[in-house]
Amino acid sequence: MGVTKTEIFTEQQNRIADLAKAFAHPARVAILQLLIARKACVCGDLVDELELAQATVSQHLKELKRIGIIQGEINPPRVCYCINPPVWEEARQAFGSILESFEGASCCN
């Protein structure tokens, strides 16, 4: 298996790629959509709502939290999650900048 050479890319390119990982799996997208729809922190309801195994939900929450797009508050025995607004805005600006930079028709038809 090859080694990813992240050091040859800029810090910004690496960060955008990391933010993209938040949207790179349908379960993560579903988690983000659920958190957005609730407009509040969600505590423990994700497994029931998503009909996924606890381990699967936990794995995706861990990745979303590592990226920073969600934040968690520990209130034993529960952890409550919500969108992290500054990082959400960072993602919006990063993806918007890339998507808006394309100005014309593709040369490939």
Side-chain angles (χ1 to χ4, degrees):
M1 187 168 210
V3 176
T4 303
K5 296 185 178 183
T6 57
E7 67 274 358
I8 67 170
F9 301 103
T10 67
E11 185 177 325
Q12 180 186 27
Q13 290 167 330
N14 281 301
R15 181 60 179 153
I16 292 170
D18 211 26
L19 289 167
K21 290 176 188 175
F23 301 93
H25 193 283
R28 290 187 205 132
V29 172
I31 290 168
L32 292 170
Q33 288 175 322
L34 182 64
L35 294 176
I36 291 166
R38 291 279 182 88
K39 297 180 182 171
C41 287
V42 176
C43 304
D45 301 339
L46 293 170
V47 172
D48 296 331
E49 293 274 343
L50 299 171
E51 298 180 14
L52 296 171
Q54 176 66 53
T56 301
V57 173
S58 294
Q59 176 186 352
H60 289 298
L61 287 169
K62 181 179 177 183
E63 182 66 5
L64 290 169
K65 194 168 178 191
R66 183 196 65 75
I67 294 164
I69 204 150
I70 67 168
Q71 52 194 358
E73 183 178 302
I74 300 172
N75 292 323
R78 295 178 169 220
V79 179
C80 299
Y81 294 98
C82 59
I83 297 293
N84 185 350
V87 178
W88 187 265
E89 184 58 29
E90 176 189 4
R92 182 193 318 259
Q93 288 180 11
F95 298 137
S97 174
I98 290 173
L99 294 171
E100 291 170 4
S101 68
F102 180 71
E103 295 179 358
S106 175
C107 63
C108 302
N109 292 322

XYZ file of all heavy atoms in Angstrom:
839
model
N 0.841 -1.174 0.000
C 0.000 0.000 0.000
C 0.886 1.238 0.000
O 1.860 1.316 0.723
C -0.897 -0.041 1.229
C -1.912 1.019 1.270
S -3.096 0.626 2.586
C -4.507 1.383 1.890
N 0.545 2.217 -0.822
C 1.349 3.417 -0.956
C 1.223 4.354 0.225
O 0.268 4.302 0.986
N 2.206 5.201 0.378
C 2.217 6.194 1.441
C 1.683 7.508 0.887
O 2.062 7.921 -0.203
C 3.651 6.382 1.982
C 3.705 7.478 3.027
C 4.184 5.081 2.538
N 0.788 8.148 1.612
C 0.277 9.449 1.208
C 1.326 10.496 1.532
O 1.808 10.579 2.655
C -1.031 9.776 1.954
O -1.950 8.735 1.686
C -1.609 11.090 1.493
N 1.683 11.286 0.548
C 2.726 12.296 0.731
C 2.098 13.662 0.977
O 2.192 14.565 0.163
C 3.639 12.325 -0.488
C 4.391 11.024 -0.683
C 5.365 11.123 -1.811
C 6.123 9.817 -1.933
N 7.141 9.876 -2.959
N 1.451 13.789 2.118
C 0.763 15.038 2.428
C 1.731 16.212 2.542
O 1.315 17.355 2.350
C -0.045 14.913 3.733
O 0.832 14.521 4.786
C -1.151 13.887 3.593
N 3.003 15.935 2.810
C 3.956 17.022 2.989
C 4.256 17.764 1.692
O 4.774 18.875 1.730
C 5.259 16.515 3.632
C 6.080 15.574 2.763
C 5.672 14.104 2.851
O 4.756 13.764 3.617
O 6.276 13.301 2.128
N 3.912 17.184 0.534
C 4.174 17.889 -0.722
C 3.064 18.877 -1.079
O 3.190 19.638 -2.017
C 4.418 16.915 -1.907
C 3.157 16.139 -2.264
C 5.591 15.999 -1.618
C 3.264 15.346 -3.550
N 1.981 18.862 -0.290
C 0.860 19.765 -0.531
C 0.853 20.875 0.511
O 1.419 20.741 1.588
C -0.459 18.992 -0.506
C -0.510 17.905 -1.537
C -0.338 16.582 -1.178
C -0.702 18.207 -2.880
C -0.360 15.576 -2.127
C -0.717 17.213 -3.836
C -0.549 15.890 -3.463
N 0.192 21.965 0.179
C 0.138 23.084 1.122
C -0.718 22.718 2.332
O -1.531 21.779 2.276
C -0.465 24.345 0.467
O -1.849 24.106 0.184
C 0.282 24.736 -0.799
N -0.557 23.477 3.364
C -1.371 23.290 4.567
C -2.855 23.458 4.241
O -3.701 22.698 4.711
C -0.940 24.295 5.639
C -1.619 24.115 6.966
C -1.103 25.079 8.028
O 0.094 25.406 8.025
O -1.933 25.507 8.863
N -3.159 24.430 3.382
C -4.546 24.672 2.988
C -5.101 23.479 2.204
O -6.233 23.052 2.435
C -4.658 25.945 2.155
C -6.088 26.239 1.718
C -6.193 27.413 0.766
O -5.250 27.720 0.034
N -7.331 28.073 0.767
N -4.324 22.934 1.276
C -4.778 21.776 0.508
C -5.027 20.574 1.411
O -6.023 19.864 1.258
C -3.764 21.425 -0.584
C -3.717 22.436 -1.703
C -2.513 22.261 -2.599
O -1.454 21.802 -2.172
N -2.660 22.659 -3.862
N -4.150 20.362 2.369
C -4.332 19.260 3.318
C -5.563 19.476 4.185
O -6.307 18.539 4.468
C -3.078 19.076 4.186
C -1.995 18.326 3.453
O -2.183 17.195 3.017
N -0.844 18.953 3.316
N -5.810 20.700 4.602
C -6.980 20.990 5.432
C -8.272 20.794 4.650
O -9.238 20.215 5.170
C -6.906 22.416 5.998
C -8.074 22.786 6.889
C -8.190 21.885 8.097
N -9.307 22.301 8.938
C -9.976 21.497 9.737
N -9.629 20.232 9.851
N -10.973 21.955 10.453
N -8.301 21.254 3.409
C -9.501 21.062 2.584
C -9.760 19.575 2.381
O -10.906 19.119 2.469
C -9.375 21.805 1.234
C -9.404 23.324 1.474
C -10.485 21.393 0.273
C -9.045 24.154 0.256
N -8.724 18.803 2.142
C -8.884 17.358 1.980
C -9.418 16.732 3.267
O -10.277 15.839 3.230
C -7.557 16.723 1.588
N -8.933 17.211 4.405
C -9.412 16.707 5.688
C -10.886 17.057 5.896
O -11.680 16.214 6.306
C -8.555 17.285 6.814
C -8.441 16.356 8.001
O -8.563 15.120 7.828
O -8.229 16.857 9.117
N -11.252 18.298 5.591
C -12.654 18.701 5.704
C -13.541 17.871 4.774
O -14.666 17.523 5.130
C -12.813 20.193 5.386
C -12.268 21.161 6.432
C -12.192 22.571 5.863
C -13.103 21.124 7.699
N -13.025 17.553 3.593
C -13.801 16.756 2.640
C -14.103 15.366 3.193
O -15.136 14.774 2.858
C -13.056 16.658 1.313
N -13.240 14.853 4.045
C -13.477 13.539 4.643
C -14.763 13.521 5.474
O -15.385 12.479 5.625
C -12.291 13.119 5.517
C -11.060 12.795 4.721
C -9.892 12.479 5.638
C -8.609 12.339 4.834
N -7.450 12.149 5.715
N -15.148 14.663 5.986
C -16.393 14.735 6.761
C -17.597 14.394 5.905
O -18.612 13.911 6.405
C -16.557 16.125 7.375
N -17.490 14.617 4.600
C -18.600 14.383 3.673
C -18.354 13.167 2.780
O -19.109 12.926 1.849
C -18.812 15.627 2.803
C -19.105 16.859 3.612
C -18.090 17.725 4.004
C -20.410 17.147 3.995
C -18.360 18.848 4.761
C -20.687 18.275 4.759
C -19.662 19.118 5.148
N -17.313 12.412 3.081
C -16.872 11.333 2.194
C -17.530 9.985 2.482
O -17.198 9.002 1.837
C -15.355 11.190 2.260
N -18.444 9.938 3.420
C -19.148 8.689 3.716
C -20.611 9.024 3.992
O -20.902 9.981 4.712
C -18.526 7.999 4.933
C -18.991 6.603 5.109
N -20.232 6.290 5.624
C -18.393 5.421 4.818
C -20.372 4.985 5.650
N -19.275 4.427 5.167
N -21.534 8.240 3.433
C -22.955 8.554 3.632
C -23.382 8.569 5.099
O -24.263 9.357 5.468
C -23.693 7.460 2.864
C -22.678 6.666 2.140
C -21.323 7.102 2.549
N -22.769 7.759 5.931
C -23.130 7.776 7.358
C -22.739 9.109 7.987
O -23.487 9.660 8.802
C -22.452 6.612 8.098
N -21.590 9.648 7.606
C -21.167 10.950 8.148
C -22.086 12.053 7.659
O -22.442 12.960 8.421
C -19.720 11.247 7.768
C -18.754 10.353 8.483
C -17.317 10.765 8.227
N -16.490 9.591 8.420
C -15.553 9.174 7.605
N -15.256 9.874 6.538
N -14.878 8.079 7.856
N -22.464 11.990 6.398
C -23.403 12.977 5.859
C -24.721 12.900 6.626
O -25.287 13.926 7.019
C -23.625 12.771 4.343
C -24.740 13.677 3.824
C -22.329 13.024 3.577
N -25.202 11.686 6.883
C -26.458 11.509 7.624
C -26.335 12.063 9.043
O -27.265 12.703 9.550
C -26.848 10.035 7.661
N -25.203 11.835 9.687
C -24.984 12.366 11.041
C -25.010 13.889 11.011
O -25.677 14.529 11.835
C -23.656 11.842 11.626
C -23.766 10.346 11.941
C -23.253 12.637 12.872
C -22.437 9.670 12.254
N -24.304 14.485 10.062
C -24.278 15.945 9.955
C -25.668 16.498 9.681
O -26.078 17.490 10.298
C -23.289 16.379 8.865
C -21.814 16.112 9.171
C -20.970 16.355 7.928
C -21.330 16.944 10.342
N -26.408 15.860 8.791
C -27.767 16.312 8.487
C -28.667 16.221 9.720
O -29.487 17.115 9.964
C -28.358 15.501 7.340
C -27.733 15.826 6.004
C -28.235 14.922 4.888
O -28.451 13.733 5.078
N -28.400 15.503 3.701
N -28.509 15.175 10.496
C -29.308 15.013 11.703
C -28.982 16.105 12.725
O -29.881 16.707 13.304
C -29.072 13.628 12.310
C -29.860 13.279 13.554
C -31.354 13.238 13.252
C -29.414 11.933 14.095
N -27.698 16.375 12.898
C -27.299 17.421 13.844
C -27.806 18.791 13.393
O -28.254 19.595 14.211
C -25.776 17.437 14.012
C -25.165 16.208 14.674
C -23.646 16.317 14.676
C -25.695 16.002 16.079
N -27.761 19.041 12.095
C -28.255 20.318 11.563
C -29.763 20.424 11.749
O -30.281 21.465 12.167
C -27.866 20.472 10.081
C -26.356 20.650 9.958
C -28.604 21.635 9.435
C -25.833 20.473 8.546
N -30.467 19.357 11.445
C -31.931 19.371 11.548
C -32.400 19.579 12.978
O -33.402 20.254 13.219
C -32.511 18.065 10.986
N -31.683 19.032 13.932
C -32.078 19.159 15.340
C -31.833 20.555 15.889
O -32.443 20.965 16.856
C -31.304 18.158 16.200
C -31.691 16.733 15.966
C -32.969 16.386 16.746
N -33.308 15.012 16.551
C -32.864 14.003 17.286
N -32.049 14.235 18.282
N -33.237 12.779 17.022
N -30.893 21.271 15.305
C -30.536 22.619 15.768
C -30.227 22.650 17.254
O -30.501 23.624 17.951
C -31.646 23.616 15.428
C -31.881 23.762 13.955
C -32.980 24.739 13.651
C -33.187 24.800 12.154
N -34.354 25.543 11.759
N -29.690 21.538 17.742
C -29.316 21.425 19.155
C -28.349 20.268 19.295
O -28.192 19.467 18.369
C -30.559 21.176 20.009
N -27.733 20.168 20.435
C -26.861 19.027 20.691
C -27.694 17.755 20.776
O -28.811 17.763 21.283
C -26.082 19.226 21.981
S -24.775 20.463 21.808
N -27.136 16.683 20.247
C -27.807 15.381 20.251
C -27.045 14.473 21.194
O -25.832 14.335 21.088
C -27.852 14.787 18.822
C -28.448 13.402 18.837
C -28.630 15.700 17.900
N -27.783 13.871 22.101
C -27.180 12.996 23.107
C -27.725 11.579 22.967
O -28.868 11.323 23.320
C -27.474 13.503 24.512
S -26.945 15.189 24.816
N -26.927 10.694 22.425
C -27.268 9.286 22.429
C -28.357 8.816 21.501
O -28.603 7.628 21.399
N -29.035 9.683 20.786
C -30.141 9.281 19.921
C -29.682 8.846 18.530
O -30.471 8.352 17.750
C -31.119 10.445 19.731
C -31.698 10.934 21.033
O -31.678 10.175 22.009
O -32.164 12.082 21.068
N -28.431 9.057 18.210
C -27.958 8.839 16.845
C -28.093 7.393 16.380
O -28.471 7.150 15.240
C -26.501 9.299 16.716
C -26.292 10.804 16.860
C -24.814 11.130 16.953
C -26.914 11.541 15.700
N -27.802 6.450 17.241
C -27.884 5.043 16.851
C -29.312 4.680 16.479
O -29.549 4.043 15.439
C -27.355 4.126 17.971
C -27.613 2.661 17.650
C -25.871 4.362 18.193
N -30.278 5.103 17.280
C -31.684 4.811 16.989
C -32.146 5.508 15.714
O -32.868 4.933 14.902
C -32.576 5.242 18.156
C -32.274 4.459 19.420
O -31.833 3.300 19.310
O -32.476 5.017 20.514
N -31.731 6.735 15.534
C -32.161 7.523 14.371
C -31.583 6.984 13.065
O -32.251 6.999 12.036
C -31.727 8.981 14.529
C -32.419 9.710 15.646
C -33.742 10.310 15.228
O -33.996 10.441 14.020
O -34.523 10.649 16.121
N -30.330 6.546 13.107
C -29.638 6.151 11.885
C -29.738 4.660 11.584
O -29.382 4.230 10.499
C -28.160 6.557 11.972
C -27.903 8.047 12.111
C -26.444 8.305 12.408
C -28.338 8.780 10.861
N -30.197 3.887 12.537
C -30.309 2.441 12.388
C -28.983 1.806 11.991
O -28.915 0.923 11.143
C -31.408 2.087 11.390
C -32.780 2.569 11.837
C -33.885 2.218 10.854
O -33.670 1.385 9.953
O -34.972 2.793 10.998
N -27.910 2.295 12.597
C -26.577 1.740 12.412
C -26.087 1.185 13.741
O -26.581 1.585 14.799
C -25.600 2.821 11.929
C -25.874 3.432 10.558
C -24.967 4.632 10.330
C -25.665 2.395 9.465
N -25.115 0.314 13.680
C -24.538 -0.253 14.899
C -23.855 0.843 15.711
O -23.322 1.807 15.151
C -23.533 -1.340 14.543
N -23.872 0.685 17.030
C -23.229 1.650 17.918
C -21.765 1.859 17.543
O -21.283 2.988 17.509
C -23.333 1.175 19.375
C -22.602 2.065 20.373
C -23.223 3.443 20.484
O -24.413 3.559 20.714
N -22.436 4.484 20.331
N -21.066 0.771 17.235
C -19.646 0.877 16.884
C -19.444 1.698 15.613
O -18.501 2.489 15.518
C -19.041 -0.517 16.717
N -20.335 1.530 14.660
C -20.245 2.280 13.400
C -20.472 3.763 13.637
O -19.703 4.608 13.168
C -21.270 1.746 12.380
O -21.013 0.362 12.153
C -21.217 2.508 11.073
N -21.512 4.087 14.388
C -21.802 5.494 14.700
C -20.636 6.100 15.475
O -20.187 7.208 15.166
C -23.128 5.624 15.474
C -23.338 7.060 15.949
C -24.300 5.187 14.604
N -20.121 5.379 16.445
C -18.998 5.877 17.250
C -17.774 6.158 16.394
O -17.086 7.167 16.582
C -18.638 4.878 18.343
O -19.678 4.778 19.271
N -17.499 5.262 15.451
C -16.351 5.447 14.557
C -16.503 6.716 13.727
O -15.560 7.497 13.594
C -16.215 4.229 13.646
C -15.120 4.338 12.613
C -15.126 3.158 11.640
O -15.844 2.185 11.822
N -14.321 3.258 10.606
N -17.684 6.943 13.194
C -17.899 8.136 12.367
C -17.909 9.408 13.213
O -17.384 10.444 12.779
C -19.187 7.997 11.557
C -19.061 6.983 10.464
N -18.168 7.104 9.418
C -19.702 5.803 10.264
C -18.269 6.069 8.612
N -19.202 5.258 9.105
N -18.471 9.346 14.403
C -18.421 10.508 15.299
C -16.985 10.862 15.661
O -16.613 12.036 15.701
C -19.235 10.239 16.567
C -20.749 10.244 16.407
C -21.412 9.692 17.656
C -21.268 11.638 16.077
N -16.178 9.842 15.902
C -14.767 10.063 16.233
C -14.053 10.779 15.092
O -13.288 11.722 15.316
C -14.093 8.724 16.535
C -12.643 8.839 16.910
C -12.056 7.464 17.218
C -10.579 7.562 17.522
N -9.982 6.248 17.760
N -14.318 10.355 13.856
C -13.685 10.989 12.696
C -14.189 12.421 12.507
O -13.405 13.333 12.250
C -13.927 10.159 11.436
C -13.277 10.718 10.192
C -11.751 10.706 10.193
O -11.129 10.168 11.133
O -11.168 11.273 9.248
N -15.477 12.640 12.652
C -16.025 13.989 12.521
C -15.472 14.917 13.605
O -15.184 16.087 13.342
C -17.556 13.951 12.587
C -18.249 13.311 11.384
C -19.725 13.078 11.685
C -18.074 14.167 10.136
N -15.295 14.386 14.788
C -14.739 15.196 15.878
C -13.251 15.471 15.632
O -12.768 16.573 15.890
C -14.951 14.489 17.215
C -14.704 15.401 18.389
C -15.183 14.814 19.678
C -14.848 15.791 20.789
N -15.023 15.242 22.099
N -12.516 14.476 15.104
C -11.098 14.677 14.792
C -10.939 15.794 13.766
O -10.069 16.656 13.902
C -10.479 13.378 14.249
C -8.974 13.509 13.963
C -8.455 12.401 13.087
N -9.012 12.424 11.747
C -8.660 13.280 10.786
N -7.772 14.218 11.008
N -9.211 13.187 9.586
N -11.797 15.805 12.768
C -11.764 16.838 11.733
C -12.134 18.194 12.341
O -11.654 19.227 11.909
C -12.713 16.458 10.572
C -12.182 15.211 9.863
C -12.912 17.614 9.600
C -13.195 14.523 8.968
N -12.988 18.164 13.361
C -13.372 19.393 14.054
C -14.726 19.927 13.641
O -15.168 20.943 14.169
N -15.389 19.264 12.706
C -16.657 19.785 12.193
C -17.802 19.580 13.181
O -18.829 20.231 13.095
C -16.978 19.202 10.799
C -17.912 20.138 10.055
C -17.483 17.776 10.867
C -17.759 20.114 8.571
N -17.630 18.666 14.135
C -18.572 18.554 15.249
C -17.790 18.701 16.541
O -16.574 18.544 16.578
C -19.367 17.223 15.237
C -18.457 16.032 15.491
C -20.168 17.081 13.971
C -19.204 14.733 15.770
N -18.525 19.016 17.577
C -17.923 19.094 18.909
C -18.765 18.261 19.852
O -19.959 18.090 19.635
C -17.797 20.532 19.380
C -19.060 21.345 19.307
C -18.801 22.827 19.461
O -17.686 23.273 19.652
N -19.855 23.622 19.374
N -18.120 17.725 20.863
C -18.822 16.889 21.821
C -18.632 17.384 23.230
O -17.563 17.875 23.587
N -19.688 17.265 24.006
C -19.653 17.653 25.413
C -19.966 16.409 26.236
O -20.987 15.752 26.007
C -20.694 18.736 25.668
C -20.695 19.254 27.087
C -21.729 20.357 27.251
O -21.648 21.359 26.530
O -22.599 20.188 28.123
N -19.088 16.091 27.149
C -19.262 14.892 27.951
C -20.064 15.214 29.199
O -19.666 16.047 30.011
C -17.893 14.285 28.329
C -17.129 13.909 27.057
C -18.073 13.077 29.229
C -15.700 13.482 27.296
N -21.229 14.578 29.303
C -22.086 14.644 30.487
C -22.378 13.202 30.881
O -23.363 12.629 30.441
C -23.404 15.373 30.187
C -23.206 16.846 29.924
O -22.375 17.470 30.549
N -23.949 17.382 28.993
N -21.486 12.583 31.673
C -21.642 11.155 31.963
C -23.076 10.812 32.342
O -23.705 11.558 33.085
C -20.690 10.918 33.130
C -19.651 11.992 32.969
C -20.385 13.184 32.411
N -23.604 9.724 31.829
C -22.910 8.726 30.995
C -23.018 9.008 29.506
O -22.729 8.150 28.692
C -23.671 7.452 31.331
C -25.081 7.926 31.535
C -24.957 9.296 32.168
N -23.400 10.186 29.107
C -23.619 10.505 27.699
C -22.602 11.510 27.169
O -22.048 12.301 27.921
C -25.009 11.101 27.490
C -26.119 10.168 27.786
C -27.426 10.888 27.580
N -28.517 9.932 27.609
C -29.549 9.973 26.806
N -29.654 10.926 25.934
N -30.494 9.063 26.887
N -22.443 11.473 25.861
C -21.700 12.518 25.165
C -22.689 13.163 24.198
O -23.383 12.475 23.460
C -20.493 11.950 24.388
C -19.763 13.064 23.671
C -19.555 11.201 25.322
N -22.773 14.472 24.239
C -23.692 15.205 23.371
C -22.887 15.860 22.249
O -21.832 16.436 22.491
C -24.428 16.273 24.166
S -25.413 15.592 25.508
N -23.404 15.759 21.033
C -22.705 16.286 19.859
C -23.516 17.366 19.172
O -24.740 17.321 19.154
C -22.436 15.158 18.848
C -21.469 14.137 19.360
C -21.913 12.948 19.912
C -20.097 14.362 19.296
C -21.020 12.002 20.383
C -19.194 13.422 19.763
C -19.668 12.243 20.304
O -18.778 11.316 20.778
N -22.792 18.315 18.573
C -23.420 19.348 17.758
C -22.414 19.841 16.723
O -21.224 19.553 16.814
C -23.934 20.502 18.621
S -22.664 21.317 19.584
N -22.909 20.581 15.748
C -22.048 21.184 14.723
C -21.144 22.215 15.390
O -21.576 22.961 16.278
C -22.915 21.867 13.633
C -23.791 20.839 12.908
C -22.055 22.664 12.658
C -23.054 19.827 12.075
N -19.898 22.268 14.956
C -18.946 23.269 15.430
C -18.994 24.431 14.428
O -18.419 24.342 13.345
C -17.547 22.658 15.500
C -16.530 23.601 16.096
O -16.795 24.776 16.298
N -15.360 23.079 16.373
N -19.713 25.517 14.749
C -19.950 26.592 13.768
C -18.700 27.170 13.095
O -18.714 27.359 11.874
C -20.707 27.657 14.567
C -21.392 26.886 15.645
C -20.421 25.783 16.016
N -17.613 27.451 13.808
C -16.444 28.015 13.107
C -15.853 27.061 12.060
O -15.442 27.497 10.990
C -15.437 28.286 14.226
C -16.245 28.383 15.469
C -17.406 27.450 15.273
N -15.840 25.780 12.355
C -15.289 24.823 11.392
C -16.269 24.600 10.248
O -15.867 24.425 9.093
C -14.894 23.499 12.085
C -14.372 22.491 11.074
C -13.847 23.761 13.160
N -17.577 24.622 10.541
C -18.579 24.518 9.477
C -18.388 25.675 8.487
O -18.423 25.486 7.281
C -19.986 24.532 10.069
C -21.024 24.257 9.035
C -21.742 25.169 8.316
C -21.424 22.974 8.557
N -22.580 24.527 7.431
C -22.405 23.178 7.563
C -21.052 21.671 8.888
C -23.013 22.131 6.889
C -21.668 20.620 8.217
C -22.635 20.864 7.228
N -18.184 26.875 9.010
C -17.961 28.047 8.161
C -16.657 27.912 7.376
O -16.591 28.295 6.198
C -17.964 29.332 8.993
C -17.840 30.595 8.180
C -18.932 30.778 7.130
O -20.068 30.288 7.301
O -18.628 31.407 6.092
N -15.637 27.363 8.012
C -14.363 27.123 7.315
C -14.587 26.196 6.115
O -14.078 26.450 5.018
C -13.359 26.490 8.284
C -12.032 26.118 7.658
C -11.141 25.307 8.584
O -11.562 24.946 9.701
O -10.008 25.014 8.152
N -15.361 25.127 6.306
C -15.657 24.192 5.219
C -16.459 24.882 4.120
O -16.175 24.712 2.928
C -16.407 22.976 5.757
N -17.450 25.658 4.516
C -18.283 26.369 3.533
C -17.416 27.281 2.665
O -17.553 27.314 1.449
C -19.357 27.194 4.249
C -20.292 27.934 3.302
C -21.153 28.986 3.990
N -21.715 28.591 5.254
C -22.982 28.196 5.431
N -23.799 28.152 4.408
N -23.422 27.883 6.622
N -16.517 28.013 3.280
C -15.665 28.931 2.527
C -14.667 28.175 1.663
O -14.431 28.551 0.511
C -14.943 29.875 3.485
C -15.858 30.901 4.099
C -15.149 31.853 5.045
O -13.928 31.888 5.110
N -15.930 32.628 5.785
N -14.085 27.108 2.192
C -13.088 26.337 1.439
C -13.704 25.701 0.197
O -13.168 25.819 -0.910
C -12.463 25.265 2.332
N -14.845 25.028 0.379
C -15.482 24.368 -0.766
C -16.066 25.395 -1.730
O -16.001 25.213 -2.943
C -16.558 23.387 -0.305
C -16.014 22.267 0.544
C -16.682 21.872 1.677
C -14.840 21.613 0.211
C -16.190 20.844 2.472
C -14.333 20.584 0.986
C -15.017 20.200 2.126
N -16.622 26.469 -1.192
C -17.160 27.521 -2.043
C -16.089 28.139 -2.914
O -16.300 28.383 -4.108
N -14.927 28.370 -2.347
C -13.823 28.963 -3.090
C -13.405 28.075 -4.256
O -13.205 28.559 -5.379
C -12.639 29.181 -2.142
O -11.520 29.633 -2.854
N -13.308 26.793 -4.005
C -12.925 25.869 -5.079
C -14.025 25.786 -6.132
O -13.761 25.886 -7.335
C -12.625 24.468 -4.514
C -11.325 24.507 -3.710
C -12.525 23.434 -5.623
C -11.031 23.229 -2.965
N -15.246 25.591 -5.693
C -16.354 25.414 -6.632
C -16.610 26.672 -7.461
O -16.940 26.587 -8.641
C -17.619 24.993 -5.888
C -17.537 23.608 -5.233
C -18.751 23.371 -4.343
C -17.394 22.511 -6.268
N -16.448 27.834 -6.844
C -16.672 29.081 -7.569
C -15.531 29.450 -8.491
O -15.686 30.303 -9.367
C -16.934 30.211 -6.573
C -18.267 30.055 -5.868
C -18.442 31.030 -4.715
O -17.556 31.890 -4.504
O -19.480 30.927 -4.026
N -14.363 28.819 -8.337
C -13.209 29.170 -9.164
C -13.324 28.660 -10.595
O -12.633 29.155 -11.489
C -11.910 28.657 -8.517
O -11.862 27.247 -8.543
N -14.208 27.701 -10.841
C -14.406 27.200 -12.202
C -15.324 28.173 -12.936
O -16.448 28.416 -12.520
C -15.030 25.799 -12.179
C -15.246 25.232 -13.548
C -14.176 24.827 -14.319
C -16.514 25.121 -14.070
C -14.371 24.298 -15.584
C -16.729 24.599 -15.342
C -15.649 24.188 -16.098
N -14.815 28.719 -14.044
C -15.541 29.791 -14.706
C -16.153 29.443 -16.057
O -16.967 30.191 -16.567
C -14.603 30.992 -14.892
C -14.175 31.602 -13.588
C -13.228 32.763 -13.773
O -12.867 33.078 -14.924
O -12.825 33.345 -12.770
N -15.708 28.387 -16.678
C -16.185 28.192 -18.036
C -16.497 26.756 -18.363
O -16.499 25.879 -17.502
N -16.750 26.544 -19.626
C -17.060 25.206 -20.126
C -15.801 24.344 -20.110
O -14.689 24.835 -20.280
C -17.631 25.302 -21.528
N -16.015 23.090 -19.915
C -14.904 22.134 -19.934
C -14.451 21.926 -21.367
O -15.227 21.971 -22.316
C -15.381 20.811 -19.330
O -14.366 19.847 -19.456
N -13.171 21.659 -21.539
C -12.656 21.380 -22.874
C -12.995 19.960 -23.305
O -12.880 19.610 -24.463
C -11.155 21.605 -22.919
S -10.235 20.503 -21.836
N -13.418 19.150 -22.360
C -13.797 17.755 -22.657
C -15.302 17.677 -22.859
O -16.071 18.100 -22.012
C -13.397 16.836 -21.511
S -11.646 16.884 -21.160
N -15.732 17.146 -23.930
C -17.168 17.048 -24.191
C -17.598 15.647 -24.336
O -17.325 14.752 -24.755
C -17.566 17.865 -25.421
C -17.415 19.337 -25.129
O -17.700 19.785 -24.037
N -16.940 20.087 -26.114
